[in-house]
């Protein structure tokens, strides 16, 4: 009997040991698949933890909420975290928005940029399906995306036709027609300080981001911000590849000295499909909706700057009514009262911290000439600013990520690779470094950080790991993920002379503008060939050309713009074009033919008061549309172009209401309206 009992005990012991071994193996497998943040045992034994997007104990006085620690993952018990929010994001059936540049490379495998056109732009086409999406910050996944792998190129087709909306009236904080405007203080166009929180779609209790084990002693790369220009890279493709690897290794060395994992990528989930083509009327409505629906992630811990911003937002919401102003022409603005009050409070309140980390030339090196010059001029002028920039990050309302999308492409893109994977990885490593060295990204998940990028690839390169930032983008395409209420449309300015950016400013008076409409440019994209098919050499009033012959100082092009009533701003490969600002520069009424293009400063300016918007499908009827505008109306629009011009000019030293201040104001304004109502 005892022998049988002993035998049974031994068998049960072996069975228990086998079960324990299996459980341990399962735990290891689950850890490897589901918790890619380092070693479980080391995380249990480690006492040094740095929050990546979660709450932090870095600063005295910050009080993170209680959380349950599972290994090295911190699961927040704070049920008030609203890190899920709705945005307008587009899915493509035929290609990814990340598709590589293929159709614009020179014979030597390098990108060609024609300084008087928007050459070098991304060729993008295909039938697109627009959807609402929900952004959810989740656990980190390894970067697998390659532009060339995500989607190929399809034959270029025109957008689906949509019924043309002729009613251009809308409620945007203004009552009456454009000649008799009265500001409304409690306008829906204002900041929704007292509006209800946005409804969540497919929402569930959100999980706070993780706390990760890390070594905070990684070296900081400091830079001096006095560099104003960078010579164009003249290396061969093989040398360029070596430079790319060197730049990556320098940044990765800083990041990988830490056992910190990564800032989570943004997972985008499709929801309800929406329209294929947006008119300016539709965009006005989307802007109104965003004012009521969009709010960023609630800060992980409170800061005095939050209360300052909420107070400022309430002041703007209740701005005193202004019917006229000696320096601002009321019909140009959606709500003059709110804009003026917001601008004044920006001058009195706003503080920006500029991160010092990062190596030149991709960071801290402004490129000041060409069609992508906006990002360089903004970088140069902000880093040299004494009024808005603060050296104390604790006092900052906004944090600037000073990288150049132009130099990112110049230094890291490998010719003929059709892959942007290394460019995306570089930006990701940079944000990881910022997140581990400073607590500020973690506090808001990046919502109070901003970037200014003019290259066509910038939307795709920043949409994974910088999607929560305020992105000022020249390529402000609704179908490429531009988010109303968060992102800013950056004016694309073609600067020919960085010493005198205002050279040739202005144009002929209206009586001396004998040409009805003018366009000249390379045949990029699908819109321009259609434009020339219908209007090249078809009508003496319509000066529609391909690329003009080269002339010193581009005089032919400038002369045409200065002598035309209307200047056609037709999209190329992307929705943006420097012609929009060029038309204003030469005091020519811009005619924008680019479906889904969000014009600059839309949250402030009433674009329909000084510009004409024509849907791509209406190109055959272009002359009739322009002739239908009465002479009195044209003269009024041309006068307004001259008055709005000051908002689109770069000066050697920034001036009040100029393009530098307008870009900064749009970023400030969008940040204010993201705040959850008190």
């Amino acid at each position: 009997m005892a022998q049988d009992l002993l035998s049974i005990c031994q068998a049960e012991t072996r069975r228990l040991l086998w079960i324990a071994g299996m459980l341990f193996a399962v735990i290891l497998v689950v850890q490897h698949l589901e918790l890619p943040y380092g070693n479980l045992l080391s995380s249990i034994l480690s006492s040094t933890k740095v929050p990546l997007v979660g709450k932090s104990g870095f600063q005295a006085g910050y009080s993170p909420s209680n959380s349950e620690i599972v290994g090295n993952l911190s699961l927040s018990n704070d049920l008030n975290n609203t890190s899920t929010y709705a945005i307008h994001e587009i899915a493509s059936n035929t290609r990814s928005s990340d598709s590589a540049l293929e159709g614009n490379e020179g014979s030597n495998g390098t990108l060609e940029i024609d300084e008087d056109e928007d050459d070098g732009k991304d060729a993008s086409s295909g039938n697109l399906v627009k959807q609402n999406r929900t952004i959810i910050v989740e656990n980190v996944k390894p970067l697998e995306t390659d532009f060339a792998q995500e989607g190929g190129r399809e034959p270029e087709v025109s957008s689906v036709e949509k019924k043309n909306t002729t009613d251009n009236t809308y409620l945007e904080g203004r009552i009456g027609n454009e000649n008799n405007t009265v500001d409304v203080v409690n306008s829906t166009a204002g900041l929704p300080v007292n509006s209800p929180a946005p409804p969540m779609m497919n929402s569930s209790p959100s999980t706070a981001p993780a706390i990760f084990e890390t070594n905070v002693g990684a070296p900081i790369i400091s830079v001096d911000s006095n560099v104003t220009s960078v010579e164009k890279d003249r290396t061969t493709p093989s040398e360029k590849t070596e430079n790319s690897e060197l730049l990556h290794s320098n940044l990765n060395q800083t990041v990988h000295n830490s056992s910190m994992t990564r800032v989570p990528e943004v997972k985008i989930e499709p929801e309800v499909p929406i329209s294929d083509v947006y008119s300016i009327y539709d965009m006005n409505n989307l802007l109104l909706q965003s004012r009521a629906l969009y709010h960023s992630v609630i800060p992980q811990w409170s800061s005095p700057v939050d209360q300052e911003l909420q107070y400022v937002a309430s002041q703007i919401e209740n701005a005193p009514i202004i019917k006229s102003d000696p320096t601002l022409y009321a019909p140009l603005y959606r709500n003059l009262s709110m804009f003026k009050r917001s601008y004044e409070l920006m001058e009195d309140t706003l503080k920006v911290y500029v991160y010092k980390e990062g190596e030149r030339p991709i960071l801290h090196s402004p490129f000041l000439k060409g069609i992508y010059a906006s990002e360089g001029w903004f970088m140069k002028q902000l880093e040299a600013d004494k009024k808005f920039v603060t050296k104390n990050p604790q006092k900052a309302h906004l944090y600037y990520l000073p990288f150049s999308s132009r130099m990112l492409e110049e230094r890291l893109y490998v010719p003929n690779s059709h892959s942007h994977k290394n460019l995306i990885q570089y930006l990701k490593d940079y944000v990881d470094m910022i997140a581990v060295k400073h607590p500020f990204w973690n506090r808001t998940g990046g919502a109070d950080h901003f970037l200014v990028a003019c290259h066509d690839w910038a939307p795709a390169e920043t949409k994974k790991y910088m999607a929560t930032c305020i992105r000022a983008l020249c390529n402000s395409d609704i179908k490429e993920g531009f988010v109303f209420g968060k992102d800013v449309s950056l004016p694309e300015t073609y600067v020919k002379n960085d010493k005198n950016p205002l050279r040739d400013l202005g144009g002929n008076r209206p009586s001396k503008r004998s040409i009805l409409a003018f366009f000249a440019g390379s045949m990029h994209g699908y819109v321009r060939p259609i434009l020339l098919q219908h209007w090249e050499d078809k009508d003496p009033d319509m000066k529609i050309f391909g690329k003009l012959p080269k002339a010193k100082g581009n005089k032919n092009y400038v002369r045409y713009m200065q002598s035309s009533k209307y200047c056609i701003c037709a999209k190329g490969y992307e929705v943006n074009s420097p012609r929009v600002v060029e038309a204003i520069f030469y005091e020519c009424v811009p005619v924008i033919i680019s479906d889904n293009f969000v014009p600059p400063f839309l949250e402030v300016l009433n674009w329909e008061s000084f510009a004409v918007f024509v849907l791509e499908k209406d190109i055959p009827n272009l002359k009739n549309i322009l002739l239908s505008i009465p002479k009195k109306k044209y003269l009024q629009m041309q006068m307004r172009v001259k008055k709005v011009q000051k908002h689109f000019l770069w000066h050697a030293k920034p001036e009040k209401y100029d393009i530098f201040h307008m870009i900064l104001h749009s970023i400030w304004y969008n940040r204010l309206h993201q705040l959850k109502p008190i």
Side-chain angles (χ1 to χ4, degrees):
M1 188 69 176
Q3 185 74 19
D4 292 340
L5 183 60
L6 179 63
S7 177
I8 292 173
C9 288
Q10 290 175 344
E12 290 299 324
T13 301
R14 285 194 298 270
R15 180 181 301 175
L16 290 174
L17 290 174
W18 182 83
I19 292 174
M22 289 298 294
L23 287 174
F24 185 76
V26 168
I27 290 173
L28 291 179
V29 171
V30 170
Q31 177 196 7
H32 177 72
L33 294 177
E34 298 297 329
L35 301 173
Y37 298 121
N39 185 277
L40 180 63
L41 296 177
S42 65
S43 68
I44 294 174
L45 297 175
S46 173
S47 61
T48 305
K49 298 182 184 295
V50 174
L52 189 60
V53 188
K55 303 189 177 185
S56 170
F58 269 24
Q59 303 299 326
Y62 293 151
S63 55
S65 63
N66 295 332
S67 59
E68 179 183 359
I69 305 297
V70 182
N72 65 342
L73 181 65
S74 173
L75 302 179
S76 172
N77 294 327
D78 184 1
L79 297 181
N80 293 324
N81 189 331
T82 58
S83 59
T84 304
Y85 49 90
I87 66 165
H88 293 288
E89 174 74 23
I90 312 308
S92 170
N93 283 344
T94 59
R95 69 170 183 89
S96 166
S97 61
D98 299 346
S99 60
L101 292 187
E102 298 180 63
N104 198 46
E105 296 182 3
S107 58
N108 63 350
T110 60
L111 292 176
E112 298 176 345
I113 294 184
D114 183 349
E115 292 300 332
D116 66 346
E117 302 298 334
D118 39 350
D119 291 11
K121 295 206 168 188
D122 188 7
S124 59
S125 59
N127 293 323
L128 304 177
V129 176
K130 182 162 298 210
Q131 296 176 329
N132 278 333
R133 294 173 174 232
T134 299
I135 284 184
I136 303 175
V137 178
E138 294 193 332
N139 287 341
V140 178
K141 293 184 177 63
L143 179 64
E144 297 291 342
T145 302
D146 188 303
F147 280 27
Q149 292 174 349
E150 286 192 47
R153 292 180 43 160
E154 297 289 335
E156 296 175 335
V157 295
S158 61
S159 302
V160 178
E161 290 193 358
K162 183 184 176 190
K163 182 179 179 181
N164 187 17
T165 303
T166 58
D167 181 10
N168 291 328
T169 60
Y170 52 89
L171 292 177
E172 187 64 30
R174 304 171 69 233
I175 295 178
N177 58 36
E178 57 193 18
N179 297 320
N180 184 20
T181 300
V182 178
D183 292 314
V184 180
V185 174
N186 295 321
S187 164
T188 55
L191 303 174
V193 176
N194 299 315
S195 62
M200 296 299 171
M201 305 187 69
N202 301 327
S203 62
S204 58
S206 56
T207 303
I211 292 180
F212 304 124
E213 172 186 333
T214 185
N215 170 19
V216 296
I220 297 177
I221 304 174
S222 298
V223 301
D224 187 284
S225 60
N226 293 328
V227 173
T228 59
S229 62
V230 179
E231 291 293 328
K232 184 175 177 64
D233 182 26
R234 302 181 185 278
T235 57
T236 63
S238 60
E239 291 171 336
K240 199 168 188 178
T241 303
E242 294 174 1
N243 290 341
S244 171
E245 294 172 353
L246 179 61
L247 286 167
H248 262 300
S249 64
N250 290 340
L251 186 57
N252 288 340
Q253 180 179 2
T254 301
V255 175
H256 293 160
N257 281 343
S258 164
S259 59
M260 175 201 70
T261 309
R262 295 290 180 263
V263 169
E265 68 176 89
V266 175
K267 180 179 178 181
I268 302 174
E269 296 185 351
E271 290 179 356
V272 182
I274 50 181
S275 174
D276 287 320
V277 176
Y278 280 100
S279 67
I280 186 65
Y281 176 82
D282 297 324
M283 293 182 193
N284 290 325
N285 290 332
L286 283 177
L287 184 64
L288 283 171
Q289 294 171 20
S290 74
R291 292 289 181 252
L293 296 179
Y294 185 87
H295 299 291
S296 66
V297 177
I298 296 176
Q300 296 295 304
W301 60 85
S302 63
S303 169
V305 298
D306 297 331
Q307 285 73 43
E308 291 176 6
L309 291 178
Q310 287 180 327
Y311 171 77
V312 166
S314 67
Q315 290 292 301
I316 297 171
E317 180 74 8
N318 297 286
I321 294 176
I322 299 174
K323 295 184 178 181
S324 63
D325 184 89
T327 58
L328 300 172
Y329 185 58
L332 295 175
Y333 307 97
R334 294 179 174 275
N335 189 311
L336 174 61
S337 303
M338 296 181 70
F339 168 61
K340 185 172 177 63
R341 185 63 178 140
S342 176
Y343 191 96
E344 291 170 348
L345 288 168
M346 177 186 76
E347 290 185 313
D348 294 340
T349 308
L350 177 61
K351 294 299 177 185
V352 179
Y353 180 74
V354 181
Y355 284 110
K356 302 302 180 184
E357 289 79 8
E359 287 188 320
R360 296 184 178 94
I362 294 176
L363 292 112
H364 305 283
S365 294
F367 198 90
L368 302 178
K369 294 178 66 176
I371 60 175
Y372 302 127
S374 288
E375 66 178 26
W377 277 81
F378 181 85
M379 180 191 298
K380 173 191 173 184
Q381 295 190 342
L382 183 62
E383 290 197 324
D385 181 81
K386 304 298 182 184
K387 180 180 182 63
F388 297 109
V389 174
T390 178
K391 295 182 179 180
N392 183 356
Q394 299 289 352
K395 296 182 178 180
H397 305 95
L398 290 167
Y399 299 83
Y400 175 44
L401 303 171
F403 78 92
S404 166
S405 62
R406 171 73 175 85
M407 296 309 300
L408 183 71
E409 174 269 324
E410 176 103 0
R411 292 307 179 106
L412 294 186
Y413 178 69
V414 179
N416 298 320
S417 68
H418 306 304
S419 172
H420 296 187
K421 190 173 183 179
N422 62 325
L423 282 70
I424 297 172
Q425 186 65 42
Y426 184 92
L427 293 179
K428 180 176 183 295
D429 290 343
Y430 173 66
V431 172
D432 289 340
M433 178 174 63
I434 293 299
V436 75
K437 291 181 180 300
H438 303 279
F440 311 109
W441 177 283
N442 305 332
R443 193 180 80 87
T444 62
D448 53 0
H449 289 56
F450 70 94
L451 59 92
V452 178
C454 198
H455 199 281
D456 294 344
W457 303 350
E461 291 165 353
T462 59
K463 74 176 184 179
K464 275 184 175 261
Y465 303 104
M466 295 174 148
T468 55
C469 294
I470 300 171
R471 302 181 304 163
L473 303 169
C474 286
N475 187 5
S476 53
D477 187 348
I478 300 178
K479 288 191 173 184
E480 296 294 334
F482 184 92
V483 182
F484 282 96
K486 179 179 74 72
D487 294 334
V488 170
S489 178
L490 179 67
E492 182 173 359
T493 56
Y494 174 29
V495 177
K496 305 177 184 67
N497 187 331
D498 58 341
K499 304 300 181 184
N500 181 18
L502 301 182
R503 190 178 67 182
D504 297 328
L505 177 66
N508 298 340
R509 60 181 183 269
S511 62
K512 296 295 184 180
R513 293 180 178 265
S514 57
I515 301 169
L516 177 64
F518 163 70
F519 173 85
S522 299
M523 293 298 98
H524 298 152
Y526 62 88
V527 170
R528 296 179 186 181
I530 296 174
L531 180 66
L532 265 68
Q533 174 189 345
H534 287 279
W535 295 109
E536 185 179 28
D537 298 327
K538 299 292 195 303
D539 191 301
D541 293 331
M542 306 284 286
K543 302 298 183 182
I544 308 298
F545 308 107
K547 193 172 181 179
L548 290 175
K550 285 285 187 180
K552 185 177 181 180
N554 205 19
K555 292 297 183 182
N556 291 336
Y557 185 83
V558 172
R559 193 177 301 112
Y560 272 115
M561 276 208 157
Q562 292 176 328
S563 304
S564 300
K565 291 180 172 67
Y566 298 98
C567 290
I568 309 301
C569 309
K571 67 174 289 186
Y573 292 128
E574 301 294 344
V575 295
N576 51 303
S577 169
R579 287 167 184 78
V580 177
V581 176
E582 281 181 332
I584 296 172
F585 191 90
Y586 298 119
E587 299 171 0
C588 179
V589 176
V591 178
I592 299 173
I593 308 178
S594 181
D595 293 349
N596 305 315
F597 169 59
V598 181
F601 313 139
L602 182 64
E603 61 281 340
V604 168
L605 295 179
N606 175 18
W607 272 83
E608 289 169 291
S609 71
F610 59 88
V612 178
F613 291 82
V614 176
L615 293 177
E616 294 165 12
K617 71 181 183 65
D618 292 328
I619 289 175
N621 199 34
L622 179 59
K623 183 177 181 181
N624 289 336
I625 292 173
L626 298 180
L627 289 177
S628 69
I629 300 173
K631 182 179 179 180
K632 182 178 179 180
K633 173 70 173 177
Y634 161 72
L635 293 174
Q636 185 183 66
M637 295 179 75
Q638 200 272 341
M639 178 268 293
R640 290 174 179 177
V641 166
K642 294 176 67 174
K643 288 186 177 294
V644 82
Q645 185 185 72
K646 66 181 176 183
H647 295 320
F648 294 90
L649 300 180
W650 290 109
H651 299 274
K653 184 178 180 180
E655 297 182 3
K656 191 179 183 73
Y657 296 121
D658 70 354
I659 188 171
F660 167 76
H661 288 98
M662 290 296 288
I663 294 170
L664 190 61
H665 175 268
S666 288
I667 295 167
W668 152 266
Y669 192 83
N670 278 5
R671 176 56 185 154
L672 288 174
H673 114 85
Q674 290 179 17
L675 300 177
K676 189 174 179 64
I678 300 175

